[in-house]
Amino acid sequence: MSDNVVLSKHFDSLASAIQRCLSAGYAPTAYIPAGHESVIDNVASTVDGGMWYEVEGDIPVLKMHYGDYDFVVNLTIPREITFLIDLHADLNNDSYYDSHGNTWSVQKGSASHIALDLVKPFNSTASDADLEVFYFSDGQYLTHEELITLGNKDFAISFWHRSAMNTDEAQTTFTHFYNLAGEEVISVFENLTRSGDTGMSAHGINFAGTTYTFPAVQASVGEIAVHVEFDYSCSTNELKLFYNGTLVSTINANLSATTTATQIVGKPESNTSYDFMLGEFQLYNGLTLHSTDFTPTYTPYSMS
């Protein structure tokens, strides 16, 4: 193809784009208005320099053809944009805080307040500062109301917890997400089993009517908190569980978009879980935090 023909096609493409822009009510400018995908074709170009987009998951990916290659503009989402929930216990003020400004309503059950405590994380030493946690008993929980859609894109859920049990089998459900109709559509749980002095811990997540349970690992012993993290990759349909930063297993899970309206952390009246401690509940939406082993961190308790 001669240079003149290529140049002519470029001008044709440019004129077509300008015409679409004008038809949509925009004056010619140096930028493409956000949210108006009609400005760029979504049909792959065969012309050098041609540009188009393809929707992968729910994210438009910009691409350009030149020579024998298609060039892809990779999108990196800043973590602060995807960081939706960061809930902490606050012993100094006998309350809580959420570093992302979320407001939570507190249900105290039959007690005058939700108990707060300090506990050692699994990877701490005697000299390390403790982790602040909620101690949830019957009817005690925190509620956050926001439309949050999980699935059909990456996400990560992580928290520290310590569960207690006085039988050989127990299930603890740490969080419940409800849709606009008040139906529970997402929850995160742990199954504890005990044989003699050995305890086994199997974590899982209920998502849109399907339960994904990961292989059991030997539960950490003693009065310490353990760290749990779920990472979902939409591009690979992989759901990973990390226990104390170690990858337990990867499960194939094609999680469709599921909208939640109410997020609960704790132990509502209908929950049959045993009392448990929980700290630093975090939710990222649009980003996986880890794909390989890592060292969990936490905010050490300070008297100030």
mmCIF file with all atom_site columns, all heavy atoms in Angstrom, residues 291-304:
data_model
loop_
_atom_site.group_PDB
_atom_site.id
_atom_site.type_symbol
_atom_site.label_atom_id
_atom_site.label_alt_id
_atom_site.label_comp_id
_atom_site.label_asym_id
_atom_site.label_entity_id
_atom_site.label_seq_id
_atom_site.pdbx_PDB_ins_code
_atom_site.Cartn_x
_atom_site.Cartn_y
_atom_site.Cartn_z
_atom_site.occupancy
_atom_site.B_iso_or_equiv
_atom_site.pdbx_formal_charge
_atom_site.auth_seq_id
_atom_site.auth_comp_id
_atom_site.auth_asym_id
_atom_site.auth_atom_id
_atom_site.pdbx_PDB_model_num
ATOM 1   N N   . SER A 1 291 ? -0.474 -12.325 44.159 1.00 0.00 ? 291 SER A N   1
ATOM 2   C CA  . SER A 1 291 ? -0.594 -13.565 43.397 1.00 0.00 ? 291 SER A CA  1
ATOM 3   C C   . SER A 1 291 ? 0.379  -14.619 43.911 1.00 0.00 ? 291 SER A C   1
ATOM 4   O O   . SER A 1 291 ? 0.271  -15.796 43.552 1.00 0.00 ? 291 SER A O   1
ATOM 5   C CB  . SER A 1 291 ? -0.345 -13.307 41.911 1.00 0.00 ? 291 SER A CB  1
ATOM 6   O OG  . SER A 1 291 ? 0.944  -12.737 41.713 1.00 0.00 ? 291 SER A OG  1
ATOM 7   N N   . THR A 1 292 ? 1.339  -14.193 44.725 1.00 0.00 ? 292 THR A N   1
ATOM 8   C CA  . THR A 1 292 ? 2.303  -15.117 45.333 1.00 0.00 ? 292 THR A CA  1
ATOM 9   C C   . THR A 1 292 ? 2.421  -14.790 46.826 1.00 0.00 ? 292 THR A C   1
ATOM 10  O O   . THR A 1 292 ? 1.875  -13.795 47.300 1.00 0.00 ? 292 THR A O   1
ATOM 11  C CB  . THR A 1 292 ? 3.693  -14.998 44.671 1.00 0.00 ? 292 THR A CB  1
ATOM 12  O OG1 . THR A 1 292 ? 4.158  -13.631 44.785 1.00 0.00 ? 292 THR A OG1 1
ATOM 13  C CG2 . THR A 1 292 ? 3.618  -15.369 43.195 1.00 0.00 ? 292 THR A CG2 1
ATOM 14  N N   . ASP A 1 293 ? 3.148  -15.628 47.554 1.00 0.00 ? 293 ASP A N   1
ATOM 15  C CA  . ASP A 1 293 ? 3.288  -15.468 49.002 1.00 0.00 ? 293 ASP A CA  1
ATOM 16  C C   . ASP A 1 293 ? 3.785  -14.063 49.365 1.00 0.00 ? 293 ASP A C   1
ATOM 17  O O   . ASP A 1 293 ? 4.570  -13.459 48.625 1.00 0.00 ? 293 ASP A O   1
ATOM 18  C CB  . ASP A 1 293 ? 4.260  -16.500 49.557 1.00 0.00 ? 293 ASP A CB  1
ATOM 19  C CG  . ASP A 1 293 ? 3.720  -17.927 49.445 1.00 0.00 ? 293 ASP A CG  1
ATOM 20  O OD1 . ASP A 1 293 ? 2.574  -18.095 48.983 1.00 0.00 ? 293 ASP A OD1 1
ATOM 21  O OD2 . ASP A 1 293 ? 4.458  -18.868 49.803 1.00 0.00 ? 293 ASP A OD2 1
ATOM 22  N N   . PHE A 1 294 ? 3.349  -13.564 50.503 1.00 0.00 ? 294 PHE A N   1
ATOM 23  C CA  . PHE A 1 294 ? 3.732  -12.232 50.954 1.00 0.00 ? 294 PHE A CA  1
ATOM 24  C C   . PHE A 1 294 ? 3.747  -12.215 52.484 1.00 0.00 ? 294 PHE A C   1
ATOM 25  O O   . PHE A 1 294 ? 3.321  -13.175 53.142 1.00 0.00 ? 294 PHE A O   1
ATOM 26  C CB  . PHE A 1 294 ? 2.759  -11.176 50.432 1.00 0.00 ? 294 PHE A CB  1
ATOM 27  C CG  . PHE A 1 294 ? 1.350  -11.323 50.961 1.00 0.00 ? 294 PHE A CG  1
ATOM 28  C CD1 . PHE A 1 294 ? 0.906  -10.570 52.034 1.00 0.00 ? 294 PHE A CD1 1
ATOM 29  C CD2 . PHE A 1 294 ? 0.462  -12.228 50.382 1.00 0.00 ? 294 PHE A CD2 1
ATOM 30  C CE1 . PHE A 1 294 ? -0.387 -10.704 52.538 1.00 0.00 ? 294 PHE A CE1 1
ATOM 31  C CE2 . PHE A 1 294 ? -0.828 -12.363 50.871 1.00 0.00 ? 294 PHE A CE2 1
ATOM 32  C CZ  . PHE A 1 294 ? -1.254 -11.604 51.953 1.00 0.00 ? 294 PHE A CZ  1
ATOM 33  N N   . THR A 1 295 ? 4.223  -11.129 53.059 1.00 0.00 ? 295 THR A N   1
ATOM 34  C CA  . THR A 1 295 ? 4.243  -10.959 54.511 1.00 0.00 ? 295 THR A CA  1
ATOM 35  C C   . THR A 1 295 ? 3.148  -9.974  54.909 1.00 0.00 ? 295 THR A C   1
ATOM 36  O O   . THR A 1 295 ? 3.220  -8.797  54.559 1.00 0.00 ? 295 THR A O   1
ATOM 37  C CB  . THR A 1 295 ? 5.604  -10.428 54.997 1.00 0.00 ? 295 THR A CB  1
ATOM 38  O OG1 . THR A 1 295 ? 6.635  -11.353 54.623 1.00 0.00 ? 295 THR A OG1 1
ATOM 39  C CG2 . THR A 1 295 ? 5.609  -10.261 56.510 1.00 0.00 ? 295 THR A CG2 1
ATOM 40  N N   . PRO A 1 296 ? 2.106  -10.423 55.614 1.00 0.00 ? 296 PRO A N   1
ATOM 41  C CA  . PRO A 1 296 ? 1.020  -9.514  56.009 1.00 0.00 ? 296 PRO A CA  1
ATOM 42  C C   . PRO A 1 296 ? 1.529  -8.416  56.947 1.00 0.00 ? 296 PRO A C   1
ATOM 43  O O   . PRO A 1 296 ? 2.431  -8.636  57.770 1.00 0.00 ? 296 PRO A O   1
ATOM 44  C CB  . PRO A 1 296 ? 0.034  -10.436 56.737 1.00 0.00 ? 296 PRO A CB  1
ATOM 45  C CG  . PRO A 1 296 ? 0.347  -11.805 56.237 1.00 0.00 ? 296 PRO A CG  1
ATOM 46  C CD  . PRO A 1 296 ? 1.828  -11.816 56.020 1.00 0.00 ? 296 PRO A CD  1
ATOM 47  N N   . THR A 1 297 ? 0.954  -7.247  56.828 1.00 0.00 ? 297 THR A N   1
ATOM 48  C CA  . THR A 1 297 ? 1.294  -6.124  57.693 1.00 0.00 ? 297 THR A CA  1
ATOM 49  C C   . THR A 1 297 ? 0.041  -5.664  58.442 1.00 0.00 ? 297 THR A C   1
ATOM 50  O O   . THR A 1 297 ? -1.077 -6.054  58.104 1.00 0.00 ? 297 THR A O   1
ATOM 51  C CB  . THR A 1 297 ? 1.857  -4.951  56.888 1.00 0.00 ? 297 THR A CB  1
ATOM 52  O OG1 . THR A 1 297 ? 0.875  -4.516  55.927 1.00 0.00 ? 297 THR A OG1 1
ATOM 53  C CG2 . THR A 1 297 ? 3.129  -5.362  56.139 1.00 0.00 ? 297 THR A CG2 1
ATOM 54  N N   . TYR A 1 298 ? 0.255  -4.836  59.449 1.00 0.00 ? 298 TYR A N   1
ATOM 55  C CA  . TYR A 1 298 ? -0.877 -4.289  60.194 1.00 0.00 ? 298 TYR A CA  1
ATOM 56  C C   . TYR A 1 298 ? -0.435 -2.963  60.806 1.00 0.00 ? 298 TYR A C   1
ATOM 57  O O   . TYR A 1 298 ? 0.761  -2.618  60.804 1.00 0.00 ? 298 TYR A O   1
ATOM 58  C CB  . TYR A 1 298 ? -1.343 -5.247  61.293 1.00 0.00 ? 298 TYR A CB  1
ATOM 59  C CG  . TYR A 1 298 ? -0.341 -5.469  62.412 1.00 0.00 ? 298 TYR A CG  1
ATOM 60  C CD1 . TYR A 1 298 ? -0.489 -4.794  63.622 1.00 0.00 ? 298 TYR A CD1 1
ATOM 61  C CD2 . TYR A 1 298 ? 0.737  -6.338  62.273 1.00 0.00 ? 298 TYR A CD2 1
ATOM 62  C CE1 . TYR A 1 298 ? 0.416  -4.977  64.663 1.00 0.00 ? 298 TYR A CE1 1
ATOM 63  C CE2 . TYR A 1 298 ? 1.640  -6.530  63.289 1.00 0.00 ? 298 TYR A CE2 1
ATOM 64  C CZ  . TYR A 1 298 ? 1.476  -5.848  64.490 1.00 0.00 ? 298 TYR A CZ  1
ATOM 65  O OH  . TYR A 1 298 ? 2.385  -6.027  65.503 1.00 0.00 ? 298 TYR A OH  1
ATOM 66  N N   . THR A 1 299 ? -1.399 -2.202  61.314 1.00 0.00 ? 299 THR A N   1
ATOM 67  C CA  . THR A 1 299 ? -1.101 -0.946  61.989 1.00 0.00 ? 299 THR A CA  1
ATOM 68  C C   . THR A 1 299 ? -0.926 -1.209  63.469 1.00 0.00 ? 299 THR A C   1
ATOM 69  O O   . THR A 1 299 ? -1.906 -1.544  64.151 1.00 0.00 ? 299 THR A O   1
ATOM 70  C CB  . THR A 1 299 ? -2.239 0.067   61.765 1.00 0.00 ? 299 THR A CB  1
ATOM 71  O OG1 . THR A 1 299 ? -2.418 0.283   60.362 1.00 0.00 ? 299 THR A OG1 1
ATOM 72  C CG2 . THR A 1 299 ? -1.913 1.397   62.431 1.00 0.00 ? 299 THR A CG2 1
ATOM 73  N N   . PRO A 1 300 ? 0.275  -1.089  64.022 1.00 0.00 ? 300 PRO A N   1
ATOM 74  C CA  . PRO A 1 300 ? 0.503  -1.400  65.435 1.00 0.00 ? 300 PRO A CA  1
ATOM 75  C C   . PRO A 1 300 ? -0.246 -0.432  66.359 1.00 0.00 ? 300 PRO A C   1
ATOM 76  O O   . PRO A 1 300 ? -0.430 0.749   66.029 1.00 0.00 ? 300 PRO A O   1
ATOM 77  C CB  . PRO A 1 300 ? 2.019  -1.237  65.603 1.00 0.00 ? 300 PRO A CB  1
ATOM 78  C CG  . PRO A 1 300 ? 2.576  -1.322  64.203 1.00 0.00 ? 300 PRO A CG  1
ATOM 79  C CD  . PRO A 1 300 ? 1.526  -0.725  63.329 1.00 0.00 ? 300 PRO A CD  1
ATOM 80  N N   . TYR A 1 301 ? -0.694 -0.951  67.450 1.00 0.00 ? 301 TYR A N   1
ATOM 81  C CA  . TYR A 1 301 ? -1.409 -0.137  68.442 1.00 0.00 ? 301 TYR A CA  1
ATOM 82  C C   . TYR A 1 301 ? -0.491 0.926   69.030 1.00 0.00 ? 301 TYR A C   1
ATOM 83  O O   . TYR A 1 301 ? 0.682  0.689   69.320 1.00 0.00 ? 301 TYR A O   1
ATOM 84  C CB  . TYR A 1 301 ? -1.943 -1.009  69.567 1.00 0.00 ? 301 TYR A CB  1
ATOM 85  C CG  . TYR A 1 301 ? -2.525 -0.248  70.715 1.00 0.00 ? 301 TYR A CG  1
ATOM 86  C CD1 . TYR A 1 301 ? -3.719 0.472   70.560 1.00 0.00 ? 301 TYR A CD1 1
ATOM 87  C CD2 . TYR A 1 301 ? -1.908 -0.233  71.956 1.00 0.00 ? 301 TYR A CD2 1
ATOM 88  C CE1 . TYR A 1 301 ? -4.273 1.176   71.603 1.00 0.00 ? 301 TYR A CE1 1
ATOM 89  C CE2 . TYR A 1 301 ? -2.449 0.476   73.018 1.00 0.00 ? 301 TYR A CE2 1
ATOM 90  C CZ  . TYR A 1 301 ? -3.621 1.188   72.834 1.00 0.00 ? 301 TYR A CZ  1
ATOM 91  O OH  . TYR A 1 301 ? -4.164 1.890   73.881 1.00 0.00 ? 301 TYR A OH  1
ATOM 92  N N   . SER A 1 302 ? -1.049 2.119   69.193 1.00 0.00 ? 302 SER A N   1
ATOM 93  C CA  . SER A 1 302 ? -0.305 3.222   69.783 1.00 0.00 ? 302 SER A CA  1
ATOM 94  C C   . SER A 1 302 ? -1.175 3.841   70.865 1.00 0.00 ? 302 SER A C   1
ATOM 95  O O   . SER A 1 302 ? -2.394 3.993   70.695 1.00 0.00 ? 302 SER A O   1
ATOM 96  C CB  . SER A 1 302 ? 0.048  4.266   68.727 1.00 0.00 ? 302 SER A CB  1
ATOM 97  O OG  . SER A 1 302 ? 0.594  5.425   69.318 1.00 0.00 ? 302 SER A OG  1
ATOM 98  N N   . MET A 1 303 ? -0.565 4.257   71.964 1.00 0.00 ? 303 MET A N   1
ATOM 99  C CA  . MET A 1 303 ? -1.300 4.862   73.063 1.00 0.00 ? 303 MET A CA  1
ATOM 100 C C   . MET A 1 303 ? -1.805 6.249   72.705 1.00 0.00 ? 303 MET A C   1
ATOM 101 O O   . MET A 1 303 ? -2.735 6.767   73.323 1.00 0.00 ? 303 MET A O   1
ATOM 102 C CB  . MET A 1 303 ? -0.418 4.950   74.314 1.00 0.00 ? 303 MET A CB  1
ATOM 103 C CG  . MET A 1 303 ? -0.067 3.607   74.932 1.00 0.00 ? 303 MET A CG  1
ATOM 104 S SD  . MET A 1 303 ? -1.516 2.759   75.582 1.00 0.00 ? 303 MET A SD  1
ATOM 105 C CE  . MET A 1 303 ? -1.954 3.842   76.933 1.00 0.00 ? 303 MET A CE  1
ATOM 106 N N   . SER A 1 304 ? -1.226 6.876   71.708 1.00 0.00 ? 304 SER A N   1
ATOM 107 C CA  . SER A 1 304 ? -1.607 8.250   71.355 1.00 0.00 ? 304 SER A CA  1
ATOM 108 C C   . SER A 1 304 ? -2.876 8.286   70.526 1.00 0.00 ? 304 SER A C   1
ATOM 109 O O   . SER A 1 304 ? -3.270 7.294   69.932 1.00 0.00 ? 304 SER A O   1
ATOM 110 C CB  . SER A 1 304 ? -0.473 8.918   70.573 1.00 0.00 ? 304 SER A CB  1
ATOM 111 O OG  . SER A 1 304 ? -0.183 8.195   69.402 1.00 0.00 ? 304 SER A OG  1
#
